[in-house]
Amino acid sequence: MPNDDAVNEDELTLCCALCCVNCSTQSCFSSCGGSGKIGCCCLDIEVCLKAGAPCLPCCCCGPTCGECKGVNAQLQCCCVVCNAAVPCNSEVPVALVAGGLMIYPQCGCCVKQKEIMDR
């Protein structure tokens, strides 16, 4: 997975998004279980109840300290993933999507998140 976390952002299909907050879907076959991470400044807390995900320091959860990156959150339950970040980052792009119809940064229907990411 690109960022060594429980959700592969390249496989997400955007359903709705407003600026730096979005909800997406991913294949239900590869996403059984749930995971979450939330971060503020340099403190991150992750929870993962998903087979095949990277191991966390304390059973299914793990606090970590890293570089200061604002505020971010990601929650995943089965095939639904919700992301938010201030400022937007490599996992949460700026987008405007309603009902799967993307208006910004490009026009399209059921667009994969990887198609609008700055790589």
Side-chain angles (χ1 to χ4, degrees):
M1 292 179 204
N3 294 312
D4 195 31
D5 62 18
V7 175
N8 184 350
E9 284 79 13
D10 287 346
E11 294 181 5
L12 299 179
T13 301
L14 291 164
C15 298
C16 60
L18 179 60
C19 204
C20 296
V21 177
N22 67 51
C23 280
S24 309
T25 59
Q26 63 181 353
S27 168
C28 286
F29 298 113
S30 66
S31 59
C32 187
S35 67
K37 64 182 177 179
I38 188 164
C40 185
C41 294
C42 62
L43 179 64
D44 289 324
I45 298 174
E46 295 185 57
V47 175
C48 190
L49 300 169
K50 193 172 169 180
C55 214
L56 297 174
C58 187
C59 285
C60 63
C61 67
T64 57
C65 241
E67 65 184 63
C68 190
K69 55 189 175 247
V71 177
N72 61 63
Q74 179 181 72
L75 299 172
Q76 180 252 329
C77 183
C78 295
C79 58
V80 177
V81 180
C82 294
N83 292 298
V86 176
C88 291
N89 58 34
S90 63
E91 294 183 1
V92 187
V94 175
L96 183 56
V97 182
L101 299 173
M102 180 175 288
I103 299 167
Y104 180 85
Q106 67 186 40
C107 291
C109 181
C110 299
V111 176
K112 293 266 188 195
Q113 184 169 312
K114 70 180 176 183
E115 294 178 30
I116 63 167
M117 299 297 290
D118 292 330
R119 303 248 178 220

